[in-house]
Amino acid sequence: MTAVTPAADLAAAVQVLDTARSVTVLCHVQPDADTIGSGLALAQVLHRRGTPVRVAFAAPADLPVSMRSLPGTEHLVPPDQVPAEVDVLVAVDCGSAGRLGALADRIGGAATTLVLDHHRSNTCFGSVNVVDPTAESTTALVARVLDAWGEPIDYDIAFCLFAGLVTDTGSFKWAGPGTHRLAERLLSTGIDGAGITRTLMDTHPFGWLGMLSRVLDTARLEPSAASGAGLVYVFVRRDDMDGVRSEEVESVIDVIRTTAEAAIAVVFKESRTTCELWTVSLRSRASGIGADDGVDVARVAAVLGGGGHRYAAGYTTTGTPEHLVASLLSALETAG
């Protein structure tokens, strides 16, 4: 059915934002367009209302190139400029405090912490938590908050909201009832949906091809994994990342998930700065059109200290490649 965030939850979010004297909006580490789009959309609304606001993320040091065209980037500040104390701290698209990285310590200095998110595995770490797992993206949830607040969605805000919507739905491959209605509403402001999508999802430097070639050479298939659902996985090593952006690394999962023989796809991504520290992306799919039998990778990620959605999740871990694969295979069996 169409995602509808409970009115009481929306009212609680509006109350916090409407009375805020100062706001820090925190996005998750290794930010995507959903967390950044949500943060910048909120910042623009707060700014035009005269509320002091900052937006930040802990890592990496710079905003990914593909997102620099989003309106509102003037509200972004580096981590060391995020105040220790603030009236309201808003965490967007963060399933847990850990996703804030080094900025998680700012929670203690906030009079109120508001969590806006759509991850089913959210730990509800705020004093006010508005979490709707049926929302297509956190930007879709932000759109509902703005409507409940009576704040108009203009061109610049629609640009940010569309960025999160189109990326988190995989260019609307995972759209649900109501998704296209929201997209149509945002597009009616005059934003260039095709251009936004191309910039965020379909533009890579030439070096991406070499990186992809090296990474795909590590691909392995485990047909018997997850009770026969099948697993395909690859490793992205530190050396593979030389000369490519984080966007290129994150795009690998969308290539290997097309493997017909595996319902589960996994990418192990080594930290650029710390040897044998890995972030892991998991994706799964149903067996066919109309089927609802896809592996719940959020449960798998939870076994390994992470979380996410049924068909898209992740976690962070350490160890050798052999250890990582063994732990993943064990978690697949444990999660059922």
Side-chain angles (χ1 to χ4, degrees), residues 35-231:
T35 192
I36 293 295
S38 297
L40 296 183
L42 283 173
Q44 291 177 84
V45 172
L46 289 161
H47 177 71
R48 74 188 182 195
R49 290 175 57 86
T51 305
V53 59
R54 296 176 176 86
V55 183
F57 53 89
D62 299 312
L63 183 68
V65 173
S66 65
M67 300 176 214
R68 294 179 188 175
S69 61
L70 268 65
T73 54
E74 66 272 14
H75 299 297
L76 281 168
V77 300
D80 61 2
Q81 291 184 24
V82 177
E85 296 183 353
V86 70
D87 186 30
V88 173
L89 183 148
V90 185
V92 287
D93 201 43
C94 298
S96 67
R99 291 288 283 152
L100 297 172
L103 287 173
D105 64 359
R106 300 305 199 275
I107 293 175
T112 302
T113 299
L114 169 63
V115 172
L116 299 176
D117 188 33
H118 71 133
H119 292 93
R120 187 183 62 193
S121 60
N122 192 286
T123 61
C124 293
F125 58 95
S127 47
V128 177
N129 301 283
V130 184
V131 180
D132 187 351
T134 68
E136 307 92 324
S137 63
T138 297
T139 58
L141 178 59
V142 169
R144 294 176 205 143
V145 170
L146 297 181
D147 286 344
W149 200 2
E151 287 290 340
I153 295 176
D154 59 19
Y155 178 98
D156 286 349
I157 293 169
F159 191 125
C160 293
L161 298 181
F162 186 86
L165 184 66
V166 72
T167 52
D168 259 34
T169 60
S171 291
F172 302 104
K173 288 195 290 287
W174 308 296
T179 306
H180 291 290
R181 284 195 294 274
L182 175 58
E184 181 179 8
R185 177 185 173 192
L186 299 176
L187 290 167
S188 71
T189 65
I191 61 172
D192 180 2
I196 295 170
T197 303
R198 183 172 58 252
T199 300
L200 290 171
M201 306 181 73
D202 298 327
T203 302
H204 300 289
F206 182 74
W208 176 70
L209 297 175
M211 183 273 288
L212 195 60
S213 175
R214 294 189 298 273
V215 168
L216 292 181
D217 194 47
T218 72
R220 298 293 181 269
L221 180 67
E222 298 282 350
S224 61
S227 301
L231 164 71

Side-chain angles (χ1 to χ4, degrees), residues 95-96 98-99 121 123 297-308 314-317 331:
S96 67
R99 291 288 283 152
S121 60
T123 61
V297 289
R299 293 179 59 186
V300 177
V303 172
L304 296 162
Y315 61 96
T316 301
T317 189

